[in-house]
């Protein structure tokens, strides 16, 4: 989220709540309020980190679904355990989606329904096939891969590459950007760059 530096906007919001309070209801011991619209502003403040509902401490391994669908890391889609490297994966997808004209993954069946098969097929197009040891860590992988690690064809693999998808940059800047993405977009979480390593990446330093 972005902070707000326009104090008049907040004062107006506050006065509106005083003169005409938002409807609310009480459920158990909780008060639930209807949302009140906050006017737009041209004076945004610093970014604010928020939504820590699935936050975890340390480098332990965890299980279960997390992440918005198109941002899900391979280990989430394949239902294996995960650690902080899922956030590194998110960084690559978010960077691409902000910087490029089209998002990196669509993960949709007929452009409507979320589809893990289509999502994984898109990953294969960009990363190549996943390592067999990753598939051996989860029974769910058998939905999509045979015992030899071959794709069963649950969805067509797009005939494109990461390099072909990049349409904004040229020359050295393009090569640096793609190298940055490749440092993150790895099937094996342990092969993704760390936050410290990525902060020192040539592409970020040259931008």
């Amino acid at each position: 989220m972005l902070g707000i530096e326009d104090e008049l906007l907040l004062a107006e919001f506050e006065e509106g709540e005083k003169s005409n309070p938002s409807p609310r209801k009480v459920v158990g011991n909780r008060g639930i309020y209807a949302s009140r619209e906050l006017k737009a502003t041209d004076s945004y403040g610093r970014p604010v980190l928020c939504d820590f509902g699935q936050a975890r401490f340390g480098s332990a391994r965890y299980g279960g679904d997390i992440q918005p669908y198109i941002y899900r890391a391979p280990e989430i889609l394949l239902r294996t355990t995960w650690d902080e490297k899922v956030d590194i994966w998110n960084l690559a997808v978010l960077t691409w989606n902000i910087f490029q004209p089209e998002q990196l993954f669509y993960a949709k069946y007929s452009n409507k329904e979320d589809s893990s098969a289509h999502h994984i097929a898109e990953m294969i197009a960009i990363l190549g096939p996943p390592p067999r040891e990753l598939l051996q860590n989860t029974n769910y992988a058998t939905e999509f891969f045979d015992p030899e690690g071959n794709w069963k064809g649950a969805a067509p693999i797009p005939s494109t590459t990461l390099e072909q998808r990049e349409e904004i940059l040229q020359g050295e800047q393009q090569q640096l950007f793609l190298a940055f993405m490749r440092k993150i977009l790895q099937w094996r979480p342990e092969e993704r760059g760390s936050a410290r390593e990525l902060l020192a990446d040539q592409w970020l330093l040259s931008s």
Side-chain angles (χ1 to χ4, degrees), residues 18 20 42-43 45 59 87 105 114-115 138 142 153 160 175 186:
K18 289 179 180 177
N20 184 24
D42 293 326
S43 179
S59 298
D87 291 326
F105 300 114
D114 290 336
S115 167
T138 167
T142 60
T160 187
Q175 295 306 311
Q186 299 287 334

Side-chain angles (χ1 to χ4, degrees), residues 24-165:
R24 68 168 184 164
K25 65 179 180 180
V26 177
V27 178
N29 60 354
R30 297 175 57 214
I32 302 174
Y33 292 80
S35 297
R36 176 184 292 272
E37 183 177 355
L38 184 66
K39 291 183 179 178
T41 178
D42 293 326
S43 179
Y44 290 109
R46 300 178 66 180
V48 178
L49 296 178
C50 64
D51 192 2
F52 292 96
Q54 289 292 335
R56 300 289 188 274
F57 290 101
S59 298
R61 305 290 300 182
Y62 300 96
D65 283 344
I66 56 169
Q67 302 178 306
Y69 205 81
I70 62 171
Y71 291 94
R72 286 185 175 177
E75 54 268 39
I76 305 302
L77 287 174
L78 294 172
R79 300 183 184 178
T80 65
T81 58
W82 49 267
D83 60 16
E84 73 275 9
K85 284 301 183 77
V86 294
D87 291 326
I88 298 295
W89 178 275
N90 275 181
L91 174 65
V93 181
L94 181 62
T95 299
W96 183 280
N97 289 357
I98 289 173
F99 198 67
Q100 298 293 321
E102 295 182 349
Q103 61 193 38
L104 185 57
F105 300 114
Y106 289 93
K108 296 283 186 183
Y109 173 73
S110 300
N111 295 320
K112 294 181 180 180
E113 299 178 10
D114 290 336
S115 167
S116 293
H118 287 75
H119 200 169
I120 295 170
E122 289 175 306
M123 289 181 179
I124 294 172
I126 289 174
L127 308 180
R132 288 183 62 183
E133 67 267 21
L134 181 65
L135 304 178
Q136 291 167 352
N137 290 333
T138 167
N139 291 330
Y140 185 62
T142 60
E143 295 280 331
F144 310 106
F145 299 91
D146 68 19
E148 301 303 315
N150 299 310
W151 181 244
K152 287 183 175 181
I157 297 174
S159 56
T160 187
T161 66
L162 190 69
E163 289 71 19
Q164 291 169 341
R165 297 277 306 277

Side-chain angles (χ1 to χ4, degrees), residues 88 91 179-181 183-184 192-205:
I88 298 295
L91 174 65
F180 175 80
M181 298 296 293
K183 286 181 181 178
I184 302 174
R192 297 172 201 154
S194 68
R196 185 182 299 276
E197 291 167 346
L198 295 169
L199 277 172
D201 184 81
Q202 281 184 278
W203 180 68
L204 290 182
L205 295 177

